[in-house]
Amino acid sequence: MKIQRIAILLLLTFGLAQGANAVFVDLQSGSLMGMVHASVGGTFADNHHVSAGVGYVPKLDNHEEMSMVSLRYRYQNPYQFNFSVKEKEYGISPVNFGMGVLVGSHKDLFVELPDKYPSGYYNPTAIRLVFNYQSILHLSKQTEVYFDISVLDVGLISYVREPEFFMDNYDYLGLEGITNWGFGMRHQF
Amino acid sequence: MKNIFFLLFAVLLSGCEYELSPWQTDAHCPGVSVEENLAKLAAFEQSIGKVDFYQVAIIGDPQQYPGSFENTIEHVNTLDDVHFILLVGDLAETGVKAEFEWMCKAMSKSNKPIISVIGNHDSLSFGKDIWLDVFGPYDFAFTYQDSRFVAYNDNKYEFDNVPDRDWLAEQAKPVNGQEWDHVIGVSHIPPWEADVGFDTHLKDSGYELTLHGHESSFDYWQWEDDLLPHYITTQNRDPGFGILNVYPGVLELDDCSRDCEKTIPRTVPKPKSLLLLVEEEEQA
C-alpha cells in the first residue's frame, strides 16, 4: 500500500511539473500536516497552485510515529501589498485559501474497511480533508514564508451545523475551537 | 489595510493551536474522568444519605452534535431528582482529539457527575488511547445507594475478547454479604445476538437490567429465553435521553425528549425471539 501511494504521488508530481507555469517546493510544519511536510507543486493560471507532498511525525508523547501523504490545492489571491525594510522589498499576500486531502499511514488507521467490519460500517479513518487559510510573506520573487491556519473536515462540519456551540464556548467567533496553526516556506523555480 | 491584516493575524495566531496532525492524542479534557466523577458521586451520596427514590439520566451517541449535547446537559442540570448521568458512548465519530474536546467542553457544563462508557466510534483512529488518558478504564463498577452499576466494554469489532464475562459475573456478586438492591449493566452496544449465551450469563449472574446506546432510537426489549430487559436510549442529536427511576426493589424507565415535556414510561420490554431473528437474518 505504501509503495502504491508513493508511486501515485510521484506520478502526480511529475504530471504537475510538466503542465505548470512554475514549479515550487514547499516545506511546512504543523497545521495538521505533520511535524514536517515536504511538497512539490505547480502554479497554474497564476493564482492556482496544486501540490503533492509527504509528511512525517516522529513518535512523541502525544503522537504515534506516522507518515502521511497529501494532495493540495491553494488559491492565491492576487492582492498583495509591498513594503521595504532597510531598502529590501517585501510583499504580503494576506488572504489565500486552499484545501487538501491528507492520508495518514498507520496500522490503527484504514483507507479500506478491514474485513472484520460489515460493509459500510465506517468511513475511512486514514483519509481526512483539511481546509486552510494562508498569509504569505514574499521574501523575494522566488522565496516566500507563510503562516497557515487549518480546519479539519469534522471541525468545519460541526461549526456549520452548530455555530452557536462554538461561538458560546470559544473565542474569535468560535474559530478557536476548530482551528490549528502552522508555518512553512516555499521556493519557486 | 495593513493594520487590519496584522490585527487579524495576531487574533488568529492567539486563538488556535499548533497541531501536528489530526491524530494527536493529547485531548484537553479536565474533570471528565470516571475516577473524578465517581468521587463526586460518592461525596454527593454521603451528603444526602439514604434515599427512597432517585433518577439517572442516560445519554447516548452525542457524536457530531456537541451543541445538542450541551443543551441536554444544561436541561438535566435542572432535574433535581437526577443524581448522575450515564453517558453510554460514541462521544466521537472518527476518534480524533478535537471531537473529544468539544464533548468535554459540553460535559464541563454539568452540575452532576457524568459516568462515561466507551463506544465503538470512540475506539476509532487513536481514540482508545485518548479514552484511557481522558476517561480511564474501559470496564469499571461502582455502587450507589446499595445498587451496583457495572460498566463494560462490548465493542467487539474494535477490541478482542470483550465483554469479559468472568469479570462481569464477579462485579455482580455481593460484597461482604451485602446483597445489592439492583444490579445494572451499562455498555454502549446492546447484547449481540451472535454472542451466544451472554445474555443468559448476565441474567444468571444477577443482572436485572442493562442500559445502552448505539442504535440511535429508543428501544426496550428482552430475549424470550431469559427475559433480561435491555433499555436503549436514542442518539442525543434528536435530542433525547432516557431516565432510569430507581426505587427500593423497583426500576422504571422513561423515554424523555430534551425538555421532558413528553415522557413515555417504559414498563414492558418487547419480547424478541433469538430463533426468529436468526431466521430473518438468513432470509436477508
Side-chain angles (χ1 to χ4, degrees):
Chain A
M1 181 56 93
K2 276 186 181 174
I3 292 170
Q4 284 175 333
R5 284 185 200 163
I6 291 168
I8 290 168
L9 201 65
L10 287 173
L11 282 171
L12 281 169
T13 307
F14 183 72
L16 285 173
Q18 294 294 306
N21 295 342
V23 173
F24 61 83
V25 292
D26 183 319
L27 209 59
Q28 181 179 333
S29 181
S31 204
L32 304 178
M33 302 306 289
M35 182 168 277
V36 61
H37 196 103
S39 307
V40 177
T43 303
F44 302 86
D46 292 337
N47 301 323
H48 303 277
H49 306 260
V50 180
S51 62
V54 179
Y56 177 73
V57 181
K59 170 76 178 163
L60 299 168
D61 287 345
N62 63 356
H63 208 295
E64 291 294 312
E65 182 182 17
M66 188 189 294
S67 61
M68 53 197 78
V69 295
S70 71
L71 182 63
R72 293 188 280 177
Y73 165 79
R74 174 171 49 89
Y75 172 74
Q76 188 159 322
N77 191 307
Y79 175 76
Q80 176 178 329
F81 63 81
N82 299 310
F83 61 97
S84 60
V85 176
K86 293 184 180 175
E87 298 181 359
K88 183 168 170 48
E89 288 292 318
Y90 297 93
I92 287 181
S93 301
V95 184
N96 310 281
F97 293 97
M99 66 171 291
V101 180
L102 182 68
V103 183
S105 179
H106 189 278
K107 65 177 175 56
D108 290 345
L109 303 174
F110 57 84
V111 173
E112 292 172 14
L113 195 64
D115 293 339
K116 63 181 177 179
Y117 296 116
S119 175
Y121 201 65
Y122 294 126
N123 291 321
T125 55
I127 301 176
R128 311 301 311 219
L129 289 178
V130 179
F131 302 88
N132 70 308
Y133 157 92
Q134 282 188 3
S135 288
I136 302 166
L137 172 64
H138 302 273
L139 302 175
S140 69
K141 287 205 169 184
Q142 281 79 38
T143 307
E144 59 198 31
V145 291
Y146 61 85
F147 173 71
D148 188 284
I149 294 176
S150 63
V151 178
L152 188 62
D153 42 23
V154 287
L156 185 65
I157 292 167
S158 297
Y159 187 87
V160 169
R161 196 182 266 155
E162 294 185 317
E164 301 86 5
F165 169 79
F166 290 95
M167 290 183 192
D168 290 348
N169 287 290
Y170 298 96
D171 291 333
Y172 313 115
L173 298 174
L175 295 175
E176 181 195 26
I178 59 169
T179 50
N180 315 278
W181 68 271
F183 55 90
M185 183 175 195
R186 265 189 296 270
H187 186 81
Q188 203 167 81
F189 297 100
Chain B
M1 181 65 193
K2 285 182 190 176
N3 291 339
I4 292 171
F5 165 69
F6 284 115
L7 183 64
L8 179 70
F9 188 84
V11 163
L12 288 174
L13 183 59
S14 63
C16 51
E17 292 187 25
Y18 176 77
E19 296 280 328
L20 292 175
S21 90
W23 299 289
Q24 259 182 233
T25 56
D26 53 339
H28 179 66
C29 282
V32 302
S33 72
V34 169
E35 184 181 6
E36 287 170 274
N37 280 276
L38 288 182
K40 278 187 208 170
L41 185 61
F44 177 70
E45 183 179 22
Q46 196 166 23
S47 71
I48 61 168
K50 182 80 176 154
V51 295
D52 289 334
F53 167 69
Y54 64 94
Q55 294 180 318
V56 180
I58 309 151
I59 303 176
D61 303 76
Q63 77 255 56
Q64 303 187 85
Y65 291 83
S68 179
F69 184 40
E70 183 185 45
N71 291 339
T72 299
I73 281 175
E74 287 177 342
H75 175 69
V76 172
N77 283 345
T78 67
L79 306 177
D80 292 338
D81 289 331
V82 173
H83 288 194
F84 64 96
I85 296 169
L86 287 172
L87 180 54
V88 291
D90 276 4
L91 283 68
E93 173 69 11
T94 64
V96 296
K97 167 187 165 177
E99 294 177 301
F100 285 105
E101 289 181 330
W102 301 328
M103 292 300 160
C104 292
K105 183 68 84 174
M107 291 168 75
S108 71
K109 305 295 172 66
S110 178
N111 62 13
K112 303 175 193 299
I114 303 180
I115 315 300
S116 306
V117 183
I118 191 167
N120 59 307
H121 279 270
D122 301 319
S123 317
L124 292 175
S125 302
F126 300 95
K128 291 176 185 175
D129 297 334
I130 294 173
W131 192 275
L132 287 174
D133 284 347
V134 168
F135 296 98
Y138 304 133
D139 295 331
F140 58 92
F142 62 98
T143 305
Y144 185 71
Q145 298 283 342
D146 296 333
S147 288
R148 190 71 167 155
F149 292 83
V150 184
Y152 61 96
N153 174 14
D154 65 346
N155 302 294
K156 277 180 170 295
Y157 288 135
E158 291 73 26
F159 293 86
D160 295 328
N161 304 317
V162 296
D164 186 337
R165 292 187 183 201
D166 294 340
W167 181 85
L168 281 163
E170 193 64 32
Q171 297 307 313
K173 285 180 182 171
V175 173
N176 299 327
Q178 183 198 2
E179 296 287 335
W180 306 121
D181 194 8
H182 304 283
V183 180
I184 299 163
V186 186
S187 75
H188 178 61
I189 304 177
W192 297 45
E193 61 271 15
D195 199 353
V196 177
F198 176 66
D199 213 53
T200 306
H201 175 74
L202 287 179
K203 179 82 174 181
D204 293 346
S205 300
Y207 287 81
E208 185 180 345
L209 169 74
T210 68
L211 307 170
H212 313 277
H214 187 64
E215 293 186 351
S216 304
S217 58
F218 288 117
D219 204 354
Y220 189 39
W221 56 267
Q222 58 190 354
W223 296 124
E224 281 180 337
D225 53 348
D226 60 43
L227 302 181
L228 174 63
H230 308 293
Y231 178 77
I232 294 98
T233 190
T234 188
Q235 60 193 359
N236 190 247
R237 83 182 77 159
D238 282 346
F241 59 97
I243 292 278
L244 173 66
N245 302 284
V246 186
Y247 304 89
V250 177
L251 296 174
E252 291 177 354
L253 289 152
D254 299 324
D255 298 346
C256 197
S257 62
R258 182 202 292 167
D259 52 15
C260 257
E261 284 174 357
K262 189 179 179 186
T263 301
I264 303 171
R266 291 280 191 169
T267 50
V268 183
K270 286 185 301 189
K272 275 191 183 183
S273 164
L274 188 54
L275 188 62
L276 188 65
L277 191 89
V278 170
E279 284 173 0
E280 283 174 358
E281 282 183 351
E282 283 174 357
Q283 285 171 5

